[in-house]
Amino acid sequence: MKRPSTVEARLTAAGWRLPDPPVPRGGYAPFHEMALPGATLVHVSGQASRLDGVPIVGVCRKGADLEPARQACAQAALSALAALRLACDGDLGRVRAVPQLRGYLRTDANFGEHSAVLDGASQVLQAAFAGMPRPARTAVGVSSLPGGCWAEVELSALVDKPA
């Protein structure tokens, strides 16, 4: 593995650390890449809210404190970045853009603050890729996620080809 990139230094300064790259828990890859002239389009598979492999569980409920759910989204985003780092051969500094972020939140039927919860994932991306345009984003409430996880995040990134 290469030395930590500036992206990882910014995450560390913001109080976050990237976990080890995710291990698929089914018939999928942690990321998919497509070669383009001078760059690669990488789609990172959904990464559930897990800390050191242990699910961060919960359900978003109307009127409840949103901060624990935001933290679950932040952890899922860190796992997505760990998969992206793997696709970048260890160098997140090669990321040119993150055009799409999708978040799935375990919610009850009356919950309506999906966007505010997914901001936890967006804050991780903003810290990692300071100055980049914000991605298009989708936040969806669902009744269940793998392992009872509170959140799952997936993203797409445009990555420069190695020099």
Side-chain angles (χ1 to χ4, degrees):
M1 180 77 61
K2 298 177 182 178
R3 64 179 175 73
S5 68
T6 303
V7 171
E8 291 178 62
R10 285 193 297 265
L11 287 170
T12 300
W16 289 306
R17 72 168 178 83
L18 288 181
D20 290 333
V23 176
R25 297 173 187 260
Y28 64 92
F31 63 87
H32 171 87
E33 59 187 18
M34 178 184 306
L36 302 169
T40 301
L41 180 60
V42 177
H43 299 284
V44 175
S45 295
Q47 299 300 315
S49 54
R50 289 186 174 90
L51 182 59
D52 299 324
V54 177
I56 301 171
V57 299
V59 176
C60 296
R61 300 185 193 287
K62 186 176 183 176
D65 180 14
L66 300 180
E67 191 55 30
R70 281 190 190 109
Q71 291 301 317
C73 281
Q75 189 60 46
L78 289 167
S79 292
L81 289 181
L84 182 57
R85 179 178 60 189
L86 185 64
C88 293
D89 298 322
D91 184 7
L92 285 170
R94 290 176 42 208
V95 174
R96 184 186 305 175
V98 178
Q100 182 77 41
L101 171 66
R102 289 165 295 282
Y104 305 91
L105 311 171
R106 222 170 113 205
T107 68
D108 67 14
N110 298 319
F111 187 74
E113 298 183 71
H114 302 72
S115 186
V117 172
L118 192 56
D119 281 347
S122 292
Q123 289 170 342
V124 169
L125 295 181
Q126 288 168 5
F129 304 115
M132 273 189 199
R134 292 180 179 174
R137 194 175 87 169
T138 303
V140 177
V142 297
S143 62
S144 68
L145 286 169
C149 286
W150 208 329
E152 185 169 315
V153 168
E154 60 185 35
L155 57 82
S156 298
L158 189 61
V159 177
D160 286 328
K161 290 188 177 176

